[in-house]
Amino acid sequence: MFTIEHDFDATVITLVDEGGPHLEEDVTIQAFAECVTLEQYDPRQDEVVKIVMSMAQVRELAAALNLPEGIYRLSPRKDANTPG
């Protein structure tokens, strides 16, 4: 199960683990214009762990989900603000 909320400066997605007998904590993903953050509570440390990904890393992750094993490099993305 997941939820999607649109805040003023970010889209927030929460992933809820409904899997088997060993459930993990919810994962919260916040998509901003310049980066994406992933947060998950770690009960062993009693703190929220946060990962910050650049938009380039997010694009590479999205591409990697659909590729077989190997080493890849994406072509540079043409930005709408870049002439060419």
Side-chain angles (χ1 to χ4, degrees), residues 13-48:
I13 301 168
T14 302
L15 307 175
V16 179
D17 189 2
E18 294 183 298
H22 179 72
L23 300 177
E24 296 294 335
E25 296 290 331
D26 295 354
V27 174
T28 302
I29 303 163
Q30 297 184 64
F32 299 93
E34 67 281 351
C35 68
V36 171
T37 65
L38 295 97
E39 296 179 347
Q40 185 177 42
Y41 175 71
D42 181 351
R44 294 169 293 170
Q45 301 292 328
D46 192 30
E47 66 183 15
V48 173

Side-chain angles (χ1 to χ4, degrees), residues 18-82:
E18 294 183 298
H22 179 72
L23 300 177
E24 296 294 335
E25 296 290 331
D26 295 354
V27 174
T28 302
I29 303 163
Q30 297 184 64
F32 299 93
E34 67 281 351
C35 68
V36 171
T37 65
L38 295 97
E39 296 179 347
Q40 185 177 42
Y41 175 71
D42 181 351
R44 294 169 293 170
Q45 301 292 328
D46 192 30
E47 66 183 15
V48 173
V49 177
K50 183 177 191 173
I51 297 172
V52 179
M53 298 174 65
S54 70
M55 297 313 287
Q57 289 174 310
V58 172
R59 285 190 296 275
E60 289 179 351
L61 174 60
L65 293 174
N66 296 314
L67 292 170
E69 183 175 320
I71 299 173
Y72 301 90
R73 176 175 288 133
L74 293 180
S75 307
R77 181 177 169 198
K78 288 205 177 222
D79 188 12
N81 298 323
T82 304

